[in-house]
Amino acid sequence: MSSRKSNGTVNEGDLLWEPSEERMECAGITGFIHWLNQYYRLELTDYGSLWKWSTDNIESFWAAIATRYGVFSEEQIKSTEVLAQSDMPGADWFPDLSLNFANYLLRQGEADHIAIYAESEARGTSQITWTELREQVTKLATYLRAIGVKRGDYVSAYLPMSTEAVVALLATTSIGAIWSSCSPDFGGSSVVERFFQVKPKVLITVSGYQYAGKYFDRAPELDLIVKELSNLTDVIYIPWCDGNKRPHPGTAVNVTDWDSALDNDMTFDMFDAESVPFSHPLWVLYTSGTTGLPKGIVHGHGGILLEFIKSAWLHDDLGPGSIKFFFTTTGWTMFNLLVGGLVAGGSIVVYDGSPTHPGLGRLFDFAEKLGVTYFGTSPAFVNTLIEKGFSPKESHDLSSIKTIALTGSPAAPITFEWFYKNLHEDLHIISMSGGTDVAAAFVGGTPVLPVHAGQIQAPCLGVDVRAFNDDGDIVVDEYGELVVTQPMPSMPVYFINDPDYQRYMDSYFGMYKGIWRQGDFIRFQRDGRCIISGRSDSTLNRYGIRVGTAEIYRAIEKIDGLADSLIINLELAGARFFMPLFVVLENDRLLDGPLITLIEQTLKSEYSPRYVPDRIYQIEEVPYTLSGKKLEIPVKKLLSGQSLESAVNLDSVRNPAALDYFVNLAKTIEEYY
């Protein structure tokens, strides 16, 4: 492994880690390259040549994934078209073949090995083996069939992170029904906005949960949800923690507790999963819905399965001995990706609770205890630990962790360096960017390449991802729109309530015809490394020069005492701009002249005088979505004069009171224009 700067500073692009020869040779991606070279008579030598082959030959690449990992047999692959229609949208993968996502996952792990470790504030520690997972899924699937759930019906869940949530997802999809979920921190109306779009037949739920040592009663929300879901016939209730109330929705809906639903004699060897077409709907994932109704994004069984296999074995380097953890909720795509870790036959860890209760080391407590090998979190969580001066290696042995995964927002160089200083030095750090849209990453990590501070290692295999300028030309070493120029199997099958595909088209194909535009601002280097600099629709465009908001945050949040920030650029009449910066300060510090000067000098030296804000405001907190994204666009709308109701869906906001400041500021801000 390479050494770092001895003075303790780290800059973007600094080399932080290189894989050892042993690690490279043992990596799943190395074995896959050897197999490809033999099977296809290729001469691939490294990640770069593999990525190029995978995008020059996308049909062969995805056929290889399906063959190598036992999704389809060689005979099946040879007798069918891999990609019958390649236009986007509408790409038609493996149109003549059938499979089942859940059935594949359930057949991977060894019988007596642990499949799921569960940690919970409310319920302590538990675990189930692969045999127990198969039996529980079988029994719940049998119950769902018995109450009339069929292929194409919807089952929704209002659940914390838990073994039950994983079992319910797999049981639902094993019979060809379609899954959707929200976490119980979602408000009732926010859940209704999502679930009424799919009209579920069954709701699996709790009526309360615990977070940071406090009990939250969700019985009123549950009453509203059940009342508004007119197609609901059954509720499966999980007694979660002290204070829970059994729902009593009236005579129209049958209520059964979890244990009763699993009380039947069906065993896994007697169970027949529903074989469905490759593109049969698997689940619905929802956008954050900060304005308007959340989009209901439908993915297919086959596309998600192939993507999860590729990610687990080749990018995340998982295997039968792996223990994968990601801090998430059931309302975020990362829950689905965490479950996808089971495709490699190892274990996953689900955690229900606060990451910092009863102390900052909560996540590392069970990482050490369970021997977690893959640890996933957000840069925002790491920033909290940095601000508090917390170093887990002082109290924990975390040598089992081999891989760190970061997503949710761009990761700064200091975030990378923190892990090497405060866990241990031999870590593969994956910074990745993808989205709910594809339940996958466009750019991410590989265990056979070095890690550089603040940079994403490479484009993902089978993803023809580029940076485009406004004219649709590929650009390198400058920022552009993140686009995908060839189809991915996990692209949405369709959106809910979008019969003419217009919303789908507008979401991804409105800027470049036939080219997927993600809406992120990205810069690629010639060696494939890249940096995401925030959403392109919140990019700061000042006098023809564009800079992503994440770059501004990376620069100024290194300033001592500056805890968080939000920057907005308002376009005014006459080609004028007003760009305010909002800062959160630590330890009751007040914004003063020297700090303002330091912020301005930092932005001048790292970017340009054009990116010095027109005014700096001190605020108490930055508003965030439930999934941890800064509300840049809604705040911009508020400051541009839109009403709170039209600018943001408050049920999607983690701290809605933080918006009050901007509502009030909008009434007086014209004087600074």
Side-chain angles (χ1 to χ4, degrees):
M1 195 202 74
S2 67
S3 61
R4 295 183 305 283
K5 293 187 176 183
S6 59
N7 63 5
T9 63
V10 61
N11 297 308
E12 181 189 302
D14 285 352
L15 178 64
L16 298 179
W17 176 84
E18 292 180 286
S20 65
E21 290 187 11
E22 179 183 6
R23 185 155 184 171
M24 291 177 67
E25 186 58 36
C26 294
I29 198 168
T30 302
F32 184 63
I33 288 174
H34 293 332
W35 180 86
L36 283 174
N37 285 341
Q38 180 177 7
Y39 190 84
Y40 286 96
R41 299 183 180 179
L42 303 174
E43 296 182 354
L44 306 176
T45 58
D46 54 18
Y47 186 87
S49 61
L50 174 58
W51 178 80
K52 187 175 188 307
W53 178 82
S54 76
T55 53
D56 287 346
N57 306 272
I58 59 169
E59 293 185 46
S60 295
F61 172 73
W62 290 108
I65 294 290
T67 304
R68 174 70 175 83
Y69 298 100
V71 178
F72 300 125
S73 68
E74 291 184 39
E75 291 73 21
Q76 287 177 304
I77 295 292
K78 290 176 180 177
S79 64
T80 188
E81 285 186 281
V82 174
L83 185 56
Q85 167 60 258
S86 61
D87 291 341
M88 295 188 291
D92 189 10
W93 294 91
F94 299 97
D96 301 322
L97 297 181
S98 298
L99 76 172
N100 186 282
F101 168 84
N103 189 50
Y104 180 93
L105 261 66
L106 291 170
R107 296 183 181 277
Q108 299 314 302
E110 295 292 331
D112 58 348
H113 289 186
I114 301 300
I116 305 173
Y117 294 96
E119 291 280 335
S120 169
E121 277 192 27
R123 300 167 59 176
T125 303
S126 62
Q127 62 189 41
I128 63 170
T129 65
W130 277 89
T131 293
E132 291 167 331
L133 174 61
R134 292 171 184 130
E135 293 301 310
Q136 289 187 29
V137 170
T138 296
K139 291 179 183 299
L140 181 58
T142 299
Y143 176 79
L144 292 174
R145 279 175 168 167
I147 60 175
V149 179
K150 307 181 297 298
R151 177 197 288 203
D153 287 339
Y154 288 89
V155 173
S156 292
Y158 189 49
L159 293 176
M161 290 293 292
S162 57
T163 297
E164 289 90 340
V166 180
V167 169
L169 185 157
L170 295 176
T172 296
T173 57
S174 74
I175 61 174
I178 307 165
W179 170 262
S180 70
S181 63
C182 291
S183 58
D185 58 330
F186 279 44
S189 59
S190 181
V191 176
V192 170
E193 283 184 344
R194 288 157 169 78
F195 289 171
F196 94 94
Q197 297 186 56
V198 301
K199 299 178 173 56
K201 184 176 287 187
V202 177
L203 176 68
I204 306 174
T205 187
V206 297
S207 64
Y209 70 99
Q210 184 172 310
Y211 187 87
K214 181 180 178 182
Y215 176 70
F216 293 85
D217 180 13
R218 305 313 265 175
E221 280 74 15
L222 185 54
D223 288 343
L224 173 65
I225 294 165
V226 174
K227 177 183 176 182
E228 295 295 328
L229 298 179
S230 58
N231 285 54
L232 204 63
T233 63
D234 288 83
V235 170
I236 300 174
Y237 164 67
I238 302 173
W240 190 248
C241 52
D242 293 343
N244 273 194
K245 303 178 183 66
R246 181 183 177 90
H248 297 283
T251 58
V253 178
N254 177 59
V255 178
T256 305
D257 66 77
W258 178 265
D259 289 341
S260 297
L262 270 62
D263 186 15
N264 58 67
D265 297 327
M266 182 65 73
T267 60
F268 184 65
D269 58 354
M270 300 163 55
F271 178 69
D272 289 323
E274 186 82 6
S275 183
V276 296
F278 189 90
S279 60
H280 181 77
L282 173 69
W283 54 45
V284 182
L285 300 182
Y286 302 96
T287 59
S288 59
T290 53
T291 56
L293 282 179
K295 293 194 297 282
I297 299 172
V298 180
H299 295 126
H301 274 246
I304 290 296
L305 179 57
L306 293 187
E307 182 60 55
F308 281 7
I309 290 171
K310 180 202 77 176
S311 298
W313 285 102
L314 306 183
H315 289 285
D316 294 342
D317 203 26
L318 303 181
S322 300
I323 302 176
K324 178 179 181 178
F325 165 72
F326 208 105
F327 181 69
T328 181
T329 73
T330 59
W332 189 22
T333 317
M334 296 311 300
F335 166 63
N336 304 70
L337 272 71
L338 176 61
V339 173
L342 293 171
V343 299
S347 310
I348 62 172
V349 182
V350 293
Y351 174 59
D352 160 51
S354 166
T356 56
H357 178 82
L360 294 174
R362 178 66 181 105
L363 302 185
F364 302 105
D365 292 343
F366 62 75
E368 177 183 28
K369 178 177 66 176
L370 302 178
V372 166
T373 62
Y374 178 108
F375 185 96
T377 188
S378 67
F381 171 70
V382 181
N383 291 342
T384 297
L385 302 183
I386 292 172
E387 291 164 11
K388 300 294 184 181
F390 179 73
S391 179
K393 76 175 184 181
E394 296 178 1
S395 51
H396 298 76
D397 176 5
L398 299 169
S399 57
S400 65
I401 298 177
K402 305 300 181 188
T403 304
I404 297 291
L406 298 169
T407 193
S409 60
I414 192 174
T415 306
F416 283 65
E417 187 186 42
W418 182 87
F419 283 101
Y420 292 111
K421 285 186 172 181
N422 295 285
L423 267 70
H424 61 82
E425 293 191 336
D426 190 14
L427 290 169
H428 174 213
I429 296 183
I430 298 174
S431 178
M432 55 182 158
S433 182
T436 302
D437 317 82
V438 292
F442 302 113
V443 290
T446 169
V448 295
L449 290 179
V451 171
H452 294 81
Q455 296 181 340
I456 298 172
Q457 286 179 291
C460 291
L461 296 173
V463 185
D464 199 353
V465 58
R466 312 284 179 169
F468 270 17
N469 62 19
D470 291 343
D471 295 326
D473 300 321
I474 295 173
V475 294
V476 179
D477 290 329
E478 64 179 85
Y479 280 104
E481 294 278 354
L482 188 159
V483 300
V484 181
T485 65
Q486 298 187 78
M488 297 168 59
S490 65
M491 286 176 173
V493 180
Y494 56 85
F495 286 177
I496 295 294
N497 299 326
D498 184 33
D500 58 0
Y501 287 79
Q502 191 58 52
R503 198 177 186 194
Y504 191 171
M505 291 291 294
D506 292 344
S507 295
Y508 309 116
F509 299 100
M511 180 173 286
Y512 309 106
K513 183 176 175 56
I515 301 292
W516 175 291
R517 170 186 172 262
Q518 177 62 15
D520 287 328
F521 203 36
I522 191 168
R523 184 184 82 220
F524 281 103
Q525 297 181 182
R526 297 192 181 278
D527 63 2
R529 283 183 278 157
C530 59
I531 297 174
I532 297 283
S533 192
R535 296 290 294 174
S536 59
D537 53 5
S538 61
T539 295
L540 307 176
N541 190 338
R542 301 265 283 181
Y543 308 104
I545 298 175
R546 297 201 296 175
V547 169
T549 55
E551 290 191 280
I552 302 296
Y553 302 143
R554 276 199 294 266
I556 64 175
E557 288 175 14
K558 292 184 294 186
I559 295 173
D560 185 44
L562 201 158
D564 204 355
S565 60
L566 181 75
I567 192 162
I568 304 294
N569 190 42
L570 301 174
E571 295 84 15
L572 309 177
R576 295 180 302 114
F577 304 93
F578 177 66
M579 189 168 74
L581 171 68
F582 304 93
V583 296
V584 179
L585 304 181
E586 297 176 346
N587 303 322
D588 299 322
R589 183 175 181 179
L590 296 177
L591 184 65
D592 55 21
L595 181 56
I596 291 173
T597 299
L598 179 58
I599 292 171
E600 292 175 345
Q601 290 176 342
T602 299
L603 292 174
K604 283 180 183 178
S605 62
E606 298 205 16
Y607 295 105
S608 160
R610 298 180 182 188
Y611 289 93
V612 173
D614 295 302
R615 184 178 172 93
I616 302 176
Y617 298 84
Q618 182 174 354
I619 59 175
E620 292 185 1
E621 56 180 335
V622 171
Y624 282 88
T625 68
L626 290 172
S627 58
K629 292 180 170 52
K630 296 184 183 186
L631 288 173
E632 294 171 331
I633 297 303
V635 168
K636 183 174 181 178
K637 290 179 178 179
L638 287 173
L639 298 183
S640 298
Q642 289 193 28
S643 68
L644 181 63
E645 293 74 19
S646 64
V648 63
N649 180 343
L650 291 177
D651 284 328
S652 71
V653 182
R654 186 174 71 194
N655 51 341
L659 291 167
D660 293 343
Y661 176 89
F662 300 98
V663 172
N664 293 326
L665 181 62
K667 300 172 184 177
T668 60
I669 201 170
E670 291 88 351
E671 65 182 279
Y672 303 113
Y673 280 15

mmCIF file of all heavy atoms in Angstrom, residues 337-369:
data_model
loop_
_atom_site.group_PDB
_atom_site.id
_atom_site.type_symbol
_atom_site.label_atom_id
_atom_site.label_comp_id
_atom_site.label_asym_id
_atom_site.label_seq_id
_atom_site.Cartn_x
_atom_site.Cartn_y
_atom_site.Cartn_z
ATOM 1 N N LEU A 337 -30.168 -2.899 -2.659
ATOM 2 C CA LEU A 337 -28.812 -3.302 -3.013
ATOM 3 C C LEU A 337 -28.160 -4.126 -1.911
ATOM 4 O O LEU A 337 -27.354 -5.024 -2.192
ATOM 5 C CB LEU A 337 -27.962 -2.077 -3.330
ATOM 6 C CG LEU A 337 -27.997 -1.607 -4.787
ATOM 7 C CD1 LEU A 337 -29.344 -0.994 -5.146
ATOM 8 C CD2 LEU A 337 -26.887 -0.606 -5.069
ATOM 9 N N LEU A 338 -28.496 -3.835 -0.653
ATOM 10 C CA LEU A 338 -27.976 -4.645 0.448
ATOM 11 C C LEU A 338 -28.493 -6.072 0.342
ATOM 12 O O LEU A 338 -27.724 -7.033 0.458
ATOM 13 C CB LEU A 338 -28.377 -4.024 1.784
ATOM 14 C CG LEU A 338 -27.983 -4.809 3.038
ATOM 15 C CD1 LEU A 338 -26.470 -4.954 3.135
ATOM 16 C CD2 LEU A 338 -28.537 -4.128 4.296
ATOM 17 N N VAL A 339 -29.784 -6.228 0.103
ATOM 18 C CA VAL A 339 -30.349 -7.571 -0.093
ATOM 19 C C VAL A 339 -29.662 -8.260 -1.269
ATOM 20 O O VAL A 339 -29.396 -9.465 -1.243
ATOM 21 C CB VAL A 339 -31.871 -7.485 -0.328
ATOM 22 C CG1 VAL A 339 -32.440 -8.861 -0.696
ATOM 23 C CG2 VAL A 339 -32.568 -6.939 0.910
ATOM 24 N N GLY A 340 -29.334 -7.475 -2.304
ATOM 25 C CA GLY A 340 -28.648 -8.041 -3.454
ATOM 26 C C GLY A 340 -27.309 -8.658 -3.120
ATOM 27 O O GLY A 340 -26.800 -9.495 -3.879
ATOM 28 N N GLY A 341 -26.709 -8.278 -1.998
ATOM 29 C CA GLY A 341 -25.452 -8.895 -1.590
ATOM 30 C C GLY A 341 -25.566 -10.390 -1.369
ATOM 31 O O GLY A 341 -24.556 -11.110 -1.404
ATOM 32 N N LEU A 342 -26.780 -10.882 -1.166
ATOM 33 C CA LEU A 342 -26.983 -12.321 -0.953
ATOM 34 C C LEU A 342 -26.678 -13.150 -2.200
ATOM 35 O O LEU A 342 -26.520 -14.365 -2.102
ATOM 36 C CB LEU A 342 -28.420 -12.587 -0.502
ATOM 37 C CG LEU A 342 -28.805 -12.038 0.882
ATOM 38 C CD1 LEU A 342 -30.310 -12.179 1.108
ATOM 39 C CD2 LEU A 342 -28.033 -12.747 1.984
ATOM 40 N N VAL A 343 -26.597 -12.512 -3.380
ATOM 41 C CA VAL A 343 -26.345 -13.286 -4.598
ATOM 42 C C VAL A 343 -24.994 -13.991 -4.554
ATOM 43 O O VAL A 343 -24.780 -14.966 -5.287
ATOM 44 C CB VAL A 343 -26.425 -12.425 -5.876
ATOM 45 C CG1 VAL A 343 -27.788 -11.806 -6.045
ATOM 46 C CG2 VAL A 343 -25.328 -11.374 -5.911
ATOM 47 N N ALA A 344 -24.073 -13.506 -3.714
ATOM 48 C CA ALA A 344 -22.747 -14.114 -3.642
ATOM 49 C C ALA A 344 -22.668 -15.210 -2.583
ATOM 50 O O ALA A 344 -21.598 -15.790 -2.372
ATOM 51 C CB ALA A 344 -21.696 -13.044 -3.373
ATOM 52 N N GLY A 345 -23.790 -15.484 -1.901
ATOM 53 C CA GLY A 345 -23.822 -16.600 -0.959
ATOM 54 C C GLY A 345 -23.259 -16.302 0.408
ATOM 55 O O GLY A 345 -23.083 -17.222 1.219
ATOM 56 N N GLY A 346 -22.976 -15.026 0.717
ATOM 57 C CA GLY A 346 -22.455 -14.682 2.027
ATOM 58 C C GLY A 346 -23.540 -14.228 2.974
ATOM 59 O O GLY A 346 -24.668 -14.738 2.956
ATOM 60 N N SER A 347 -23.227 -13.236 3.801
ATOM 61 C CA SER A 347 -24.159 -12.730 4.806
ATOM 62 C C SER A 347 -24.369 -11.238 4.602
ATOM 63 O O SER A 347 -23.515 -10.547 4.056
ATOM 64 C CB SER A 347 -23.605 -12.954 6.221
ATOM 65 O OG SER A 347 -23.178 -14.290 6.413
ATOM 66 N N ILE A 348 -25.520 -10.756 5.080
ATOM 67 C CA ILE A 348 -25.765 -9.320 5.134
ATOM 68 C C ILE A 348 -26.139 -8.941 6.563
ATOM 69 O O ILE A 348 -26.585 -9.792 7.351
ATOM 70 C CB ILE A 348 -26.865 -8.861 4.151
ATOM 71 C CG1 ILE A 348 -28.214 -9.519 4.495
ATOM 72 C CG2 ILE A 348 -26.464 -9.155 2.724
ATOM 73 C CD1 ILE A 348 -29.381 -8.961 3.671
ATOM 74 N N VAL A 349 -25.958 -7.667 6.890
ATOM 75 C CA VAL A 349 -26.312 -7.142 8.210
ATOM 76 C C VAL A 349 -27.344 -6.049 8.024
ATOM 77 O O VAL A 349 -27.127 -5.101 7.259
ATOM 78 C CB VAL A 349 -25.086 -6.563 8.939
ATOM 79 C CG1 VAL A 349 -25.489 -6.065 10.335
ATOM 80 C CG2 VAL A 349 -23.971 -7.591 9.040
ATOM 81 N N VAL A 350 -28.483 -6.173 8.711
ATOM 82 C CA VAL A 350 -29.502 -5.129 8.701
ATOM 83 C C VAL A 350 -29.517 -4.461 10.070
ATOM 84 O O VAL A 350 -29.495 -5.136 11.092
ATOM 85 C CB VAL A 350 -30.898 -5.677 8.339
ATOM 86 C CG1 VAL A 350 -30.932 -6.152 6.898
ATOM 87 C CG2 VAL A 350 -31.322 -6.821 9.261
ATOM 88 N N TYR A 351 -29.541 -3.134 10.078
ATOM 89 C CA TYR A 351 -29.520 -2.394 11.334
ATOM 90 C C TYR A 351 -30.686 -1.428 11.401
ATOM 91 O O TYR A 351 -30.893 -0.613 10.500
ATOM 92 C CB TYR A 351 -28.213 -1.623 11.501
ATOM 93 C CG TYR A 351 -28.219 -0.730 12.724
ATOM 94 C CD1 TYR A 351 -28.412 -1.274 13.996
ATOM 95 C CD2 TYR A 351 -28.053 0.648 12.624
ATOM 96 C CE1 TYR A 351 -28.440 -0.466 15.124
ATOM 97 C CE2 TYR A 351 -28.068 1.463 13.743
ATOM 98 C CZ TYR A 351 -28.271 0.900 14.997
ATOM 99 O OH TYR A 351 -28.303 1.698 16.116
ATOM 100 N N ASP A 352 -31.439 -1.503 12.497
ATOM 101 C CA ASP A 352 -32.578 -0.629 12.758
ATOM 102 C C ASP A 352 -32.238 0.245 13.953
ATOM 103 O O ASP A 352 -32.176 -0.228 15.086
ATOM 104 C CB ASP A 352 -33.816 -1.483 13.054
ATOM 105 C CG ASP A 352 -34.888 -0.705 13.798
ATOM 106 O OD1 ASP A 352 -35.240 0.393 13.337
ATOM 107 O OD2 ASP A 352 -35.363 -1.205 14.845
ATOM 108 N N GLY A 353 -31.990 1.529 13.688
ATOM 109 C CA GLY A 353 -31.690 2.429 14.782
ATOM 110 C C GLY A 353 -30.819 3.578 14.338
ATOM 111 O O GLY A 353 -30.502 3.748 13.164
ATOM 112 N N SER A 354 -30.407 4.371 15.325
ATOM 113 C CA SER A 354 -29.551 5.524 15.067
ATOM 114 C C SER A 354 -28.105 5.069 14.916
ATOM 115 O O SER A 354 -27.640 4.207 15.667
ATOM 116 C CB SER A 354 -29.654 6.522 16.219
ATOM 117 O OG SER A 354 -28.609 7.470 16.147
ATOM 118 N N PRO A 355 -27.349 5.691 13.989
ATOM 119 C CA PRO A 355 -25.941 5.311 13.844
ATOM 120 C C PRO A 355 -25.047 5.860 14.948
ATOM 121 O O PRO A 355 -23.890 5.466 15.048
ATOM 122 C CB PRO A 355 -25.567 5.914 12.488
ATOM 123 C CG PRO A 355 -26.454 7.105 12.352
ATOM 124 C CD PRO A 355 -27.756 6.697 12.991
ATOM 125 N N THR A 356 -25.590 6.752 15.782
ATOM 126 C CA THR A 356 -24.764 7.382 16.814
ATOM 127 C C THR A 356 -25.361 7.242 18.215
ATOM 128 O O THR A 356 -25.041 8.020 19.115
ATOM 129 C CB THR A 356 -24.565 8.877 16.494
ATOM 130 O OG1 THR A 356 -25.846 9.510 16.367
ATOM 131 C CG2 THR A 356 -23.784 9.058 15.201
ATOM 132 N N HIS A 357 -26.234 6.250 18.389
ATOM 133 C CA HIS A 357 -26.834 6.017 19.711
ATOM 134 C C HIS A 357 -26.585 4.573 20.130
ATOM 135 O O HIS A 357 -26.807 3.655 19.346
ATOM 136 C CB HIS A 357 -28.343 6.276 19.660
ATOM 137 C CG HIS A 357 -29.038 6.018 20.975
ATOM 138 N ND1 HIS A 357 -29.063 6.942 21.989
ATOM 139 C CD2 HIS A 357 -29.707 4.926 21.429
ATOM 140 C CE1 HIS A 357 -29.726 6.441 23.012
ATOM 141 N NE2 HIS A 357 -30.123 5.228 22.699
ATOM 142 N N PRO A 358 -26.121 4.350 21.341
ATOM 143 C CA PRO A 358 -25.928 5.332 22.425
ATOM 144 C C PRO A 358 -24.601 6.086 22.355
ATOM 145 O O PRO A 358 -24.323 6.899 23.230
ATOM 146 C CB PRO A 358 -25.984 4.456 23.671
ATOM 147 C CG PRO A 358 -25.448 3.142 23.205
ATOM 148 C CD PRO A 358 -25.911 2.975 21.795
ATOM 149 N N GLY A 359 -23.787 5.802 21.321
ATOM 150 C CA GLY A 359 -22.533 6.522 21.171
ATOM 151 C C GLY A 359 -22.118 6.558 19.716
ATOM 152 O O GLY A 359 -22.704 5.886 18.862
ATOM 153 N N LEU A 360 -21.075 7.337 19.421
ATOM 154 C CA LEU A 360 -20.630 7.493 18.043
ATOM 155 C C LEU A 360 -20.118 6.193 17.441
ATOM 156 O O LEU A 360 -20.073 6.033 16.223
ATOM 157 C CB LEU A 360 -19.529 8.555 17.971
ATOM 158 C CG LEU A 360 -19.947 9.987 18.304
ATOM 159 C CD1 LEU A 360 -18.726 10.896 18.346
ATOM 160 C CD2 LEU A 360 -20.960 10.503 17.295
ATOM 161 N N GLY A 361 -19.757 5.230 18.278
ATOM 162 C CA GLY A 361 -19.208 3.969 17.782
ATOM 163 C C GLY A 361 -20.229 2.884 17.539
ATOM 164 O O GLY A 361 -19.864 1.723 17.330
ATOM 165 N N ARG A 362 -21.523 3.226 17.523
ATOM 166 C CA ARG A 362 -22.570 2.195 17.437
ATOM 167 C C ARG A 362 -22.378 1.261 16.240
ATOM 168 O O ARG A 362 -22.452 0.039 16.387
ATOM 169 C CB ARG A 362 -23.950 2.862 17.352
ATOM 170 C CG ARG A 362 -25.099 1.859 17.217
ATOM 171 C CD ARG A 362 -25.238 1.024 18.478
ATOM 172 N NE ARG A 362 -26.301 0.030 18.392
ATOM 173 C CZ ARG A 362 -26.110 -1.275 18.224
ATOM 174 N NH1 ARG A 362 -24.879 -1.754 18.096
ATOM 175 N NH2 ARG A 362 -27.124 -2.101 18.185
ATOM 176 N N LEU A 363 -22.156 1.799 15.050
ATOM 177 C CA LEU A 363 -22.026 0.936 13.876
ATOM 178 C C LEU A 363 -20.760 0.088 13.946
ATOM 179 O O LEU A 363 -20.740 -1.056 13.469
ATOM 180 C CB LEU A 363 -22.016 1.773 12.598
ATOM 181 C CG LEU A 363 -23.231 2.668 12.343
ATOM 182 C CD1 LEU A 363 -23.122 3.333 10.977
ATOM 183 C CD2 LEU A 363 -24.532 1.881 12.444
ATOM 184 N N PHE A 364 -19.718 0.643 14.534
ATOM 185 C CA PHE A 364 -18.459 -0.088 14.622
ATOM 186 C C PHE A 364 -18.508 -1.161 15.709
ATOM 187 O O PHE A 364 -17.743 -2.123 15.660
ATOM 188 C CB PHE A 364 -17.310 0.890 14.855
ATOM 189 C CG PHE A 364 -17.207 1.927 13.777
ATOM 190 C CD1 PHE A 364 -17.626 3.233 14.001
ATOM 191 C CD2 PHE A 364 -16.738 1.592 12.518
ATOM 192 C CE1 PHE A 364 -17.546 4.188 13.007
ATOM 193 C CE2 PHE A 364 -16.659 2.547 11.511
ATOM 194 C CZ PHE A 364 -17.066 3.847 11.750
ATOM 195 N N ASP A 365 -19.414 -0.985 16.688
ATOM 196 C CA ASP A 365 -19.579 -2.007 17.716
ATOM 197 C C ASP A 365 -19.940 -3.345 17.078
ATOM 198 O O ASP A 365 -19.305 -4.373 17.339
ATOM 199 C CB ASP A 365 -20.676 -1.615 18.713
ATOM 200 C CG ASP A 365 -20.311 -0.421 19.577
ATOM 201 O OD1 ASP A 365 -19.106 -0.089 19.650
ATOM 202 O OD2 ASP A 365 -21.230 0.178 20.167
ATOM 203 N N PHE A 366 -20.985 -3.329 16.242
ATOM 204 C CA PHE A 366 -21.374 -4.623 15.675
ATOM 205 C C PHE A 366 -20.528 -5.003 14.463
ATOM 206 O O PHE A 366 -20.428 -6.177 14.117
ATOM 207 C CB PHE A 366 -22.877 -4.704 15.379
ATOM 208 C CG PHE A 366 -23.421 -3.737 14.374
ATOM 209 C CD1 PHE A 366 -23.200 -3.903 13.017
ATOM 210 C CD2 PHE A 366 -24.210 -2.671 14.785
ATOM 211 C CE1 PHE A 366 -23.737 -3.023 12.093
ATOM 212 C CE2 PHE A 366 -24.757 -1.785 13.865
ATOM 213 C CZ PHE A 366 -24.513 -1.969 12.510
ATOM 214 N N ALA A 367 -19.891 -4.028 13.818
ATOM 215 C CA ALA A 367 -18.951 -4.375 12.754
ATOM 216 C C ALA A 367 -17.818 -5.227 13.313
ATOM 217 O O ALA A 367 -17.407 -6.220 12.706
ATOM 218 C CB ALA A 367 -18.403 -3.120 12.093
ATOM 219 N N GLU A 368 -17.323 -4.847 14.489
ATOM 220 C CA GLU A 368 -16.278 -5.632 15.148
ATOM 221 C C GLU A 368 -16.826 -6.969 15.625
ATOM 222 O O GLU A 368 -16.226 -8.025 15.376
ATOM 223 C CB GLU A 368 -15.715 -4.845 16.336
ATOM 224 C CG GLU A 368 -14.673 -5.611 17.134
ATOM 225 C CD GLU A 368 -14.186 -4.839 18.345
ATOM 226 O OE1 GLU A 368 -14.961 -4.013 18.883
ATOM 227 O OE2 GLU A 368 -13.030 -5.060 18.759
ATOM 228 N N LYS A 369 -17.968 -6.941 16.270
ATOM 229 C CA LYS A 369 -18.545 -8.162 16.841
ATOM 230 C C LYS A 369 -18.850 -9.209 15.779
ATOM 231 O O LYS A 369 -18.589 -10.408 15.972
ATOM 232 C CB LYS A 369 -19.822 -7.799 17.603
ATOM 233 C CG LYS A 369 -20.549 -8.995 18.210
ATOM 234 C CD LYS A 369 -21.769 -8.546 19.006
ATOM 235 C CE LYS A 369 -22.839 -7.925 18.128
ATOM 236 N NZ LYS A 369 -24.059 -7.580 18.879
#
